[in-house]
Amino acid sequence: MSKSHGAKSYWLMKSEPDAYSWDDLLAEGEGTWDGVRNHRAANNLRAMQVGDEAFFYHSNIGKEIVGVVQISESGIPDPSDPEGKWAAVKVKPVRKLARPVTLKEVKADPKLAEMELVKLSRLSVAVVTPEEWAYILKLADEGGKD
């Protein structure tokens, strides 16, 4: 069954693990994704719907996709923005990936060459196509192609 607004959308959300990690989200149970100050990334946050899923990506340290989160609340104002111009969402952990999928792996795979993570590498909240989503989950479950 599809949701009333259409098919589920997929995303990739980056966080520096020394600032906010997968383990921090697990400890909280639900986290607020805020502090995004890039217009394209903020527009992606605004486009998210409850039930959409996103990869949790550790940036700077690790540079790898480590888990899956679900959007639990959408369309909220960023609590870290006193002027109320920026967007935020709430997320809940769904599952840790069986094996992290590294940025190096993603960049080396021709099937992922068009991914926003590769093309727009500085974007902190990126779109993931359903095909990219399924392929990355398969990589995480099967292990590397070493």
Side-chain angles (χ1 to χ4, degrees):
M1 281 215 164
S2 65
K3 296 184 298 186
S4 59
H5 76 276
K8 181 188 293 189
S9 294
Y10 299 101
W11 310 92
L12 181 136
M13 303 169 85
K14 293 182 182 178
S15 182
E16 295 176 20
D18 54 344
Y20 191 75
S21 70
W22 173 258
D23 290 337
D24 294 330
L25 176 60
L26 284 181
E28 281 186 354
E30 182 179 51
T32 302
W33 210 274
D34 58 8
V36 173
R37 297 296 181 266
N38 170 287
H39 287 285
R40 183 168 181 151
N43 285 339
N44 286 341
L45 284 175
R46 286 185 193 98
M48 290 177 180
Q49 300 288 331
V50 171
D52 284 355
E53 290 186 326
F55 286 127
F56 192 115
Y57 178 90
H58 280 169
S59 61
N60 292 357
I61 303 165
K63 296 186 180 177
E64 58 193 8
I65 300 167
V66 296
V68 174
V69 300
Q70 186 170 54
I71 309 309
S72 54
E73 196 176 334
S74 61
I76 59 174
D78 185 332
S80 70
D81 172 23
E83 294 178 24
K85 294 178 183 174
W86 296 96
V89 296
K90 290 195 177 206
V91 298
K92 287 185 174 176
V94 174
R95 70 177 174 110
K96 186 174 185 173
L97 294 183
R99 178 189 71 82
V101 177
T102 66
L103 178 61
K104 186 177 178 184
E105 235 180 301
V106 169
K107 284 183 169 180
D109 197 317
K111 289 183 180 169
L112 299 172
E114 297 302 311
M115 196 171 176
E116 282 194 353
L117 177 62
V118 175
K119 294 265 187 195
L120 302 170
S121 60
R122 298 192 50 81
L123 195 62
S124 63
V125 180
V127 172
V128 176
T129 68
E131 296 77 20
E132 292 164 347
W133 182 267
Y135 186 72
I136 287 171
L137 288 178
K138 189 175 167 204
L139 288 177
D141 289 340
E142 289 179 356
K145 297 187 276 179
D146 299 320

